[in-house]
């Protein structure tokens, strides 16, 4: 027989157990409570005790989280909000990618589109720092090493130039119509490497697919022109009607000629160089990494 001195907690516990026999009936037809201790009063008492206990625990938890110096909840969570990106950079990135993917010749761009892209390029160069410190402005050569690692083993297609009327380097119209420049950069040993300077023709130019100037290249780490990319022609080959590496005697006259890519901005996917025309005008040329050319070249 259960003593009447048992607390209502044990009374309620027996109710919750509800042990059943194998025939599905409760083990007890009715709990053998002493008079004055009913199941209803026991459950009410248990409910009150549970609420009281929960209230005290919640109060302690609230005090713990709100107490200064506890390390919980006394400071607002800090979020690293990215700085607002330059509008012109966003537009330039998107439009350059479109030109690349759709294989649009920059010689065929309208005057309005040239002016728009020229404005974007100048704003990016003048208003933002190069994401990769290729020239070591910070006093460390780490940026130059990042630049070498960024260009190595990749293809870079010139997709735009801010001058379309020049007759020489730095302008889109300085190239034969239907052609573009691709820099296929090979492996480096330190700051010295190999480069294929490619004049690639579109499908509109029948027969001639591309001219390739096999070259050596290096990145200057000296104090005068740190980060300057220099390449020198060594041999000229051509690809005509699918037959590649045919020597071209005329272009052999260029052997030994030294050329430069004077980098002003580089982020690992876009590469902006500057040139000065004979009249002193400043021209920017923009290269974009061409993954499709890398894949195509890897099959050769």
């Amino acid at each position: 027989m259960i003593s009447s001195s048992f607390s209502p907690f044990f009374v309620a516990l027996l109710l919750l157990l509800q042990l059943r026999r194998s025939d599905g009936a409760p083990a007890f037809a009715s709990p053998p409570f002493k008079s004055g201790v009913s199941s209803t009063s026991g459950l009410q008492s248990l409910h009150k005790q549970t609420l009281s206990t929960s209230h005290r625990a919640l109060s302690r938890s609230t005090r713990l989280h709100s107490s200064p110096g506890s390390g919980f909840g006394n400071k607002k969570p800090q979020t690293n909000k990215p700085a607002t990106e330059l509008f012109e950079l966003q537009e330039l990135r998107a439009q350059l990618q479109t030109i690349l993917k759709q294989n649009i010749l920059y010689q065929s761009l309208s005057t309005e589109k040239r002016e728009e892209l020229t404005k974007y390029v100048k704003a990016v160069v003048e208003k933002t720092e190069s994401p990769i410190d290729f020239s070591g402005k910070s006093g460390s050569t780490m940026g130059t090493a990042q630049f070498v690692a960024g260009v190595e083993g990749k293809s870079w297609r010139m997709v735009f130039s801010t001058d379309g009327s020049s007759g020489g380097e730095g302008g889109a119209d300085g190239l034969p119509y239907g052609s573009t420049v691709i820099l296929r950069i090979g492996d480096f040993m330190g700051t010295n490497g190999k480069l294929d300077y490619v004049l690639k023709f579109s499908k509109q130019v029948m027969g001639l697919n591309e001219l390739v100037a096999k070259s050596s290249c290096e990145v200057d780490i000296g104090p005068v022109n740190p980060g300057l990319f220099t390449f020198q022609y060594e041999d000229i080959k051509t690809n005509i009607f699918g037959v590649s590496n045919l020597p071209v005697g005329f272009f052999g006259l260029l052997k030994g000629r030294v050329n430069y890519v004077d980098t002003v901005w580089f982020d690992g996917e876009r590469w902006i160089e500057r040139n000065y025309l004979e009249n002193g005008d400043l021209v920017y040329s923009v290269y974009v990494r061409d993954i499709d050319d890398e894949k195509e070249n890897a099959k050769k």
Side-chain angles (χ1 to χ4, degrees):
M1 189 169 198
I2 300 176
S3 170
S4 61
S5 62
F6 274 30
S7 69
F9 173 79
F10 291 101
V11 176
L13 182 60
L14 288 175
L15 282 174
L16 294 175
L17 288 177
Q18 290 290 311
L19 297 177
R20 294 180 178 271
R21 299 194 303 265
S22 59
D23 59 359
F28 300 97
S30 60
F33 297 115
K34 280 285 279 185
S35 59
V37 181
S38 67
S39 61
T40 302
S41 63
L43 286 174
Q44 290 176 344
S45 176
L46 175 61
H47 180 64
K48 291 179 180 179
Q49 291 181 27
T50 303
L51 288 177
S52 178
T53 303
S54 300
H55 178 72
R56 289 195 299 271
L58 179 61
S59 298
R60 288 196 299 269
S61 175
T62 303
R63 289 196 298 272
L64 174 64
H65 282 264
S66 62
S67 58
S70 65
F72 298 92
N74 57 321
K75 292 183 179 179
K76 293 183 179 179
Q78 297 181 353
T79 56
N80 296 323
K81 295 182 179 180
T84 303
E85 190 175 56
L86 189 70
F87 167 78
E88 290 85 351
L89 176 56
Q90 298 177 39
E91 285 295 312
L92 180 64
R93 182 190 296 123
Q95 296 199 35
L96 292 179
Q97 198 63 29
T98 299
I99 293 174
L100 177 67
K101 291 299 182 183
Q102 297 185 11
N103 200 25
I104 299 173
L105 294 172
Y106 44 77
Q107 297 104 321
S108 64
L109 294 174
S110 66
T111 301
E112 293 76 13
K113 180 56 66 177
R114 286 177 183 270
E115 291 176 350
E116 179 187 359
L117 291 174
T118 295
K119 181 182 67 174
Y120 293 156
V121 171
K122 290 182 177 180
V124 169
V125 172
E126 295 170 1
K127 297 180 181 180
T128 67
E129 292 289 337
S130 174
I132 294 181
D133 183 19
F134 57 88
S135 62
K137 290 181 180 180
S138 61
S140 171
T141 59
M142 184 60 67
T144 306
Q146 288 180 315
F147 173 66
V148 171
V151 300
E152 183 181 19
K154 301 178 179 67
S155 294
W156 300 90
R157 181 187 294 265
M158 182 190 292
V159 297
F160 181 68
S161 174
T162 60
D163 181 73
S165 60
S166 69
E169 293 181 353
D173 288 353
L175 300 173
Y177 185 83
S179 67
T180 187
V181 170
I182 297 178
L183 305 180
R184 292 176 184 151
I185 302 179
D187 296 331
F188 270 73
M189 182 65 70
T191 57
N192 296 277
K194 293 293 184 180
L195 162 74
D196 284 354
Y197 184 93
V198 182
L199 187 61
K200 191 173 183 68
F201 294 88
S202 68
K203 295 179 181 180
Q204 298 173 351
V205 181
M206 299 301 294
L208 186 60
N209 296 328
E210 62 183 32
L211 294 172
V212 182
K214 299 286 185 180
S215 311
S216 58
C217 61
E218 68 174 307
V219 177
D220 194 344
I221 57 174
V224 179
N225 293 305
L228 183 66
F229 188 93
T230 306
F231 62 97
Q232 184 174 9
Y233 297 138
E234 295 180 346
D235 196 10
I236 309 293
K237 304 290 183 179
T238 188
N239 185 325
I240 300 177
F241 293 113
V243 181
S244 59
N245 292 329
L246 297 175
V248 180
F250 174 77
F251 288 98
L253 296 173
L254 298 175
K255 185 175 182 178
R257 179 181 176 182
V258 177
N259 295 273
Y260 305 94
V261 177
D262 189 5
T263 305
V264 294
W265 201 92
F266 182 76
D267 70 350
E269 295 293 331
R270 285 150 289 274
W271 185 0
I272 304 177
E273 69 160 332
R274 67 183 171 192
N275 288 289
Y276 290 93
L277 305 181
E278 292 182 358
N279 60 6
D281 288 347
L282 176 61
V283 173
Y284 295 110
S285 297
V286 186
Y287 299 82
V288 176
R289 184 183 176 188
D290 190 341
I291 297 179
D292 289 340
D293 185 77
E294 293 172 13
K295 294 178 179 178
E296 180 183 339
N297 193 49
K299 298 176 182 178
K300 297 179 181 180

